[in-house]
Amino acid sequence: MTRTLLVRNGHVCDVETGEASVQDVLVSDGRIQEVGTGLSAPSSATEIDAAGQYLLPGLIDAHVHVSAGTADLGAQAEDSPFYVAAQTGRILKGMLDRGFTTVRDVGGADFGIAAAVAEGLWPGPKVHFGGKALSPTGGHADLRGSGRQVLDNHACCPNIGTVVDGVADVRRAARAQLRTGADHVKLMLSGGVASPTDRVDSLQFSAEEVRACVEEAENANRYVTGHAYTARAVNRGLKLGVRCIEHGNLIDASSVELFLEHDAFLVPTLVTYEYLHSEGAAAGLPPASQAKVADVLEAGLHALDLASKGGVKIALGTDLLGDMHRHQSDEFRIRGQVQTPAQVLRSATLVGAQLLGREGELGVVAPGATADLLLVDADPFADTAVLAHPERHLRMVLQDGRVAVDRLSGSTAASA
């Protein structure tokens, strides 16, 4: 049965130009059919009066861990997969309630989570997944403490990553993720905060291992994204063919040049450091990881400013863990310190869609696009607070042309 929806008289946001104009949007079978004034629809169509509201594309968070119900990822690796799944369902619903209709999971989510959302078993954003991130022994996804020798790498364990060493193992692991339908493969190219035994400034994987993973991803028409902080790690990854860099807090001008040369993406995740600093201990972040937060916290805004002014393609990411997921929207406020509201919104829509290979389908309000749409009660091009505070400003979420969250008519969805 054809489902038709007409949203009338909303201020439709063109995220590319940063302008909004009063128009109607006609939706049928989950896709936008027309955008214009005075549109008509069949008598059976549902109409939404959006007068005074701003209509924009659903948001894309390009760096999440939807299964991370705690900041102690090492402990979660030993939890029941059923318990982790229950936490995942709650986390996904919270993201949708905040206006995120698509996310890219870069460690932990698999084909089962993506299918659960796609089939309507869980309310949540569409999940682009990479499966388990690849880490060398002692690397960012090796979550054993320094005194523990036993490693359980079983595919069913709820780890965010898997430990592999050597070119042959990297190829096998990359193929294993791609076999399940993964949209990308993630490599840990440097140390990180949440891992117990590596330094933030360390390099991880040999050049040969990185090249092998890039080749496997390219053979499958997919790409490699890399966790990296320092300019040394970022630049090395870009030169070896990595298409996207996660975090990049310590990049420099040479990194910006390489991003442009290789047409690569950057996904900063500033909000996670702010809340790891203030709430990490309460959320389960181990002491060894708490001590590393300061290494990257102060540099993040400078790196974002450098990349933004340099013309790097920047997507929006958050990387939150445990109870800190509730701060997801605060990434808009933080980025607003160095970027305009239009630039931040573009990162969370157009650029995110480009990274996912779904240009024209996601991130725009245009004919042919998926009808993932938000109604907010103020101009998102004027103030990042509009999207930073969905509990105040977000009135409705449409996903695939269906009303997923409705605060416009008085019913309020619960957030997690």
Side-chain angles (χ1 to χ4, degrees):
M1 181 178 177
T2 300
R3 292 180 291 107
T4 303
L5 182 73
L6 182 60
V7 184
R8 287 198 181 278
N9 300 318
H11 294 270
V12 176
C13 296
D14 184 331
V15 292
E16 187 162 15
T17 65
E19 299 176 348
S21 58
V22 176
Q23 298 183 82
D24 304 333
V25 176
L26 181 64
V27 173
S28 182
D29 281 345
R31 290 197 174 269
I32 298 172
Q33 303 300 319
E34 292 183 73
V35 179
T37 56
L39 298 184
S40 60
S43 58
S44 60
T46 300
E47 291 199 14
I48 296 173
D49 181 7
Q53 307 290 319
Y54 287 79
L55 184 70
L56 62 146
L59 304 175
I60 301 169
D61 190 333
H63 187 124
V64 299
H65 299 282
V66 300
S67 61
T70 173
D72 189 346
L73 298 176
Q76 179 175 285
E78 299 182 19
D79 280 341
S80 160
F82 299 101
Y83 177 67
V84 173
Q87 292 177 314
T88 300
R90 176 181 59 86
I91 290 167
L92 284 166
K93 186 178 186 305
M95 291 178 172
L96 185 62
D97 288 350
R98 290 185 284 271
F100 290 92
T101 54
T102 302
V103 296
R104 184 183 66 139
D105 189 287
V106 288
D110 65 3
F111 61 94
I113 290 175
V117 174
E119 295 174 14
L121 301 176
W122 280 334
K126 302 176 181 72
V127 179
H128 283 242
F129 70 94
K132 294 183 185 297
L134 276 55
S135 167
T137 295
H140 184 49
D142 185 345
L143 299 173
R144 296 172 294 171
S146 56
R148 183 173 182 183
Q149 302 301 315
V150 176
L151 173 67
D152 189 345
N153 237 2
H154 194 280
C156 291
C157 291
N159 296 323
I160 65 161
T162 186
V163 175
V164 292
D165 294 299
V167 169
D169 271 1
V170 168
R171 286 192 187 278
R172 187 178 300 108
R175 290 171 181 172
Q177 305 307 318
L178 294 166
R179 180 188 70 82
T180 67
D183 298 289
H184 62 268
V185 179
K186 182 181 179 184
L187 286 178
M188 301 306 192
L189 299 176
S190 80
V193 172
S195 42
T197 63
D198 56 348
R199 292 165 44 120
V200 169
D201 62 359
S202 67
L203 289 182
Q204 296 181 8
F205 284 119
S206 68
E208 291 76 17
E209 289 169 320
V210 176
R211 288 194 192 97
C213 190
V214 168
E215 182 180 17
E216 294 300 329
E218 289 179 348
N219 286 349
N221 293 314
R222 295 294 184 264
Y223 66 94
V224 172
T225 193
H227 161 105
Y229 282 106
T230 65
R232 180 181 174 219
V234 169
N235 294 2
R236 178 173 177 260
L238 293 172
K239 290 175 183 177
L240 292 171
V242 173
R243 180 173 175 253
C244 180
I245 295 293
E246 314 298 318
H247 314 302
N249 293 48
L250 303 171
I251 61 172
D252 59 21
S254 67
S255 309
V256 172
E257 293 177 4
L258 285 167
F259 274 108
L260 299 179
E261 178 184 340
H262 294 276
D263 195 30
F265 293 81
L266 174 65
V267 186
T269 57
L270 305 182
V271 67
T272 195
Y273 310 111
E274 182 166 317
Y275 287 101
L276 283 172
H277 178 69
S278 61
E279 299 181 11
L285 190 70
S289 295
Q290 295 172 38
K292 292 193 280 187
V293 173
D295 293 342
V296 294
L297 177 61
E298 297 299 327
L301 272 177
H302 171 72
L304 174 63
D305 188 41
L306 185 68
S308 183
K309 289 176 178 175
V312 175
K313 293 187 293 189
I314 303 170
L316 183 134
T318 56
D319 192 27
L320 292 162
L321 308 172
D323 290 340
M324 292 177 284
H325 278 107
R326 71 187 189 279
H327 300 301
Q328 184 179 26
S329 302
D330 221 17
E331 183 75 13
F332 288 93
R333 172 191 63 82
I334 295 169
R335 292 194 182 202
Q337 296 176 60
V338 296
Q339 289 186 300
T340 67
Q343 287 175 320
V344 183
L345 180 53
R346 202 171 293 125
S347 290
T349 53
L350 277 178
V351 182
Q354 292 170 1
L355 173 57
L356 297 177
R358 299 186 68 180
E359 294 174 80
E361 185 181 0
L362 299 177
V364 292
V365 183
T370 298
D372 292 347
L373 302 166
L374 310 182
L375 281 177
V376 295
D377 64 6
D379 186 357
F381 295 133
D383 190 350
T384 54
V386 175
L387 295 176
H389 295 285
E391 73 284 358
R392 299 179 196 168
H393 299 290
L394 181 61
R395 312 310 300 156
M396 183 172 284
V397 178
L398 299 176
Q399 189 178 42
D400 295 317
R402 294 179 182 272
V403 177
V405 177
D406 184 5
R407 302 185 184 112
L408 196 62
S409 62
S411 67
T412 303
S415 293

